[in-house]
């Protein structure tokens, strides 16, 4: 496990360290809400590392860093420092980033089902299904926000229908970017950027993509 953490980026380690210090400082000051949020943020940002270890897969450090940044920005900065209200574009950025990530995850999951066979289905079809996966996850999140507002009197939707529709439109844009990255990868354009992340995941997990030869050569 120590090797897994050693392979992570310096930025991810710094964020984990800052969150750990925030938990200790909040506990020392008796600020229980801050301690709870900081601890939840730390736990959720570490969850992919332990999940990958349990599933015996290797997640590229760059993708782990993106997850850590997203979770920290959503929960810690968004809720503790009220970034959602201070910056109108914060919610847009969070939804767009998550949709891109889900588009990549959706593509990788579908590619795993075909064991890395690039010719098992047309690239446009695989990209379409990864787009649908990302958009479906975005829609489920909006249902979750509605449920939290209705059942517990929270204000996750803020402006109601306008907020929901804006979030879904941003999700569409992010899902398109994630799906397009998968399409570019299948077309052999995996030279850095988001397609490069897919290629790195495939190369680091050859047993899951036997028919594809373990990524670009």
């Amino acid at each position: 496990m120590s090797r897994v953490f050693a392979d992570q980026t310096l930025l991810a380690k710094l964020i984990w360290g800052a969150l750990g210090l925030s938990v200790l400082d909040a506990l020392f000051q008796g600020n229980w809400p801050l301690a709870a949020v900081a601890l939840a943020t730390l736990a959720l940002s570490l969850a992919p590392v332990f999940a990958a270890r349990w599933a015996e897969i290797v997640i590229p450090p760059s993708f782990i860093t993106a997850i850590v940044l997203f979770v920290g920005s959503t929960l810690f900065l968004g809720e503790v420092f009220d970034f959602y209200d201070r910056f109108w574009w914060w919610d847009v950025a969070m939804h767009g980033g998550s949709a891109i990530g889900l588009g990549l995850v959706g593509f990788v999951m579908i590619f795993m089902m075909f064991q890395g066979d690039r010719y098992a289905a047309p690239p446009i079809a695989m990209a379409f299904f990864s787009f649908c996966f990302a958009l479906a996850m975005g829609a489920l999140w909006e249902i979750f926000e509605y449920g939290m507002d209705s059942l517990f009197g929270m204000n996750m939707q803020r402006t109601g229908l306008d907020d929901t529709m804006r979030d879904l439109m941003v999700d569409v844009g992010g899902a398109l970017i994630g799906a397009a990255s998968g399409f570019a990868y299948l077309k052999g354009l995996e030279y850095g950027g988001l397609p490069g992340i897919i290629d790195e995941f495939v190369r680091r997990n050859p047993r899951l993509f036997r028919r594809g030869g373990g990524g670009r050569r």
Side-chain angles (χ1 to χ4, degrees):
M1 179 58 73
S2 59
R3 176 62 185 276
V4 174
F5 283 101
D7 290 340
Q8 303 307 319
T9 65
L10 177 61
L11 179 57
K13 295 175 184 176
L14 289 174
I15 294 175
W16 284 327
L19 288 171
L21 291 174
S22 297
V23 173
L24 294 176
D25 182 63
L27 290 174
F28 180 77
Q29 297 183 29
N31 190 338
W32 312 122
L34 176 58
V37 173
L39 183 59
T41 304
L42 179 61
L44 287 173
S45 63
L46 285 170
V49 176
F50 290 98
R53 177 75 175 181
W54 173 79
E56 297 183 347
I57 63 175
V58 180
I59 301 178
S62 56
F63 199 76
I64 291 290
T65 301
I67 294 173
V68 173
L69 282 171
F70 175 75
V71 174
S73 299
T74 301
L75 291 180
F76 198 71
L77 295 181
E79 299 299 333
V80 175
F81 293 97
D82 205 24
F83 272 34
Y84 285 111
D85 291 327
R86 294 174 61 184
F87 304 104
W88 66 266
W89 47 267
W90 195 255
D91 189 48
V92 174
M94 294 299 98
H95 272 274
S98 64
I100 293 174
L102 287 169
L104 294 176
V105 170
F107 173 81
V108 169
M109 290 174 60
I110 295 169
F111 202 40
M112 285 171 55
M113 291 174 61
F114 290 108
Q115 296 185 340
D117 188 351
R118 294 169 179 259
Y119 308 103
I124 191 66
M126 296 183 69
F128 174 73
F129 282 114
S130 63
F131 167 79
C132 291
F133 173 82
L135 196 56
M137 294 300 101
L140 287 175
W141 177 258
E142 294 304 318
I143 294 173
F144 170 76
E145 286 188 345
Y146 174 78
M148 295 299 288
D149 290 354
S150 300
L151 297 175
F152 301 105
M154 299 181 67
N155 188 31
M156 298 185 69
Q157 291 185 301
R158 289 172 173 79
T159 56
L161 180 60
D162 288 341
D163 178 82
T164 298
M165 295 310 299
R166 183 182 67 245
D167 290 346
L168 287 175
M169 287 187 284
V170 172
D171 288 343
V172 168
L176 280 173
I177 294 174
S181 300
F183 180 84
Y185 170 78
L186 291 176
K187 286 295 186 178
L189 303 177
E190 60 272 26
Y191 301 103
L194 296 177
I197 293 176
I198 297 174
D199 182 62
E200 184 180 0
F201 183 87
V202 173
R203 287 188 290 104
R204 285 172 174 260
N205 299 275
R207 67 182 180 84
L208 302 176
F209 304 95
R210 293 188 180 92
R211 295 182 182 178
R216 177 172 57 86
R217 298 178 179 177

